[in-house]
Amino acid sequence: QILLLLQGLYAKCPRSDKMKISKGVVSAVRELGGRFLELDERTRIYKDIGDEKATKKTSQALREGQTKSRKKMYNDEKNVNGVLLASPA
C-alpha cells in the first residue's frame, strides 16, 4: 500500500530525490520489523537481500506503472473542478 501512495510523488520528483524516497521506504519497512527476502534455490531458505538490493527493488516497484501515473497527473492538472481547461493554441 505504501508504494501505491508514493508512486505519484516518485513520478513527480526530480531524479536526485528518487533514491531518497526508495531508501526511506526500505528504512520504514525495516523499522516496523519487515524484511526483504529472496529464496535461495539451493537451500530452499529465504534470506534477507540487504539494503542495497532492497532499495533497487523498491525503486523498480515505484517505477512500475509510472507512465499511467504521469498521464493521470497530467489529466488531473488539466481538469479543474470538472472543467477541462484548453491548452493555449
Side-chain angles (χ1 to χ4, degrees):
Q1 281 183 339
I2 192 168
L3 291 180
L4 292 175
L5 295 172
L6 290 175
Q7 276 183 330
L9 174 65
Y10 190 86
K12 282 184 175 181
C13 76
R15 185 180 196 129
S16 60
D17 292 340
K18 292 183 188 295
M19 190 58 65
K20 292 175 189 174
I21 292 171
S22 297
K23 285 181 179 182
V25 170
V26 170
S27 178
V29 168
R30 293 211 187 271
E31 284 179 22
L32 294 171
R35 298 180 291 165
F36 294 84
L37 304 174
E38 180 175 65
L39 179 64
D40 182 325
E41 294 291 337
R42 188 178 54 80
T43 63
R44 307 295 297 164
I45 296 173
Y46 284 94
K47 295 184 179 180
D48 194 289
I49 63 173
D51 286 348
E52 186 176 334
K53 192 169 182 179
T55 300
K56 288 180 182 177
K57 290 293 191 179
T58 300
S59 294
Q60 179 182 359
L62 287 167
R63 283 192 304 270
E64 287 178 5
Q66 206 172 55
T67 303
K68 188 177 179 181
S69 295
R70 283 189 178 143
K71 185 182 257 188
K72 183 185 180 320
M73 286 186 297
Y74 177 76
N75 287 335
D76 288 349
E77 288 173 4
K78 293 253 200 197
N79 188 350
V80 178
N81 295 326
V83 177
L84 187 62
L85 301 176
S87 297

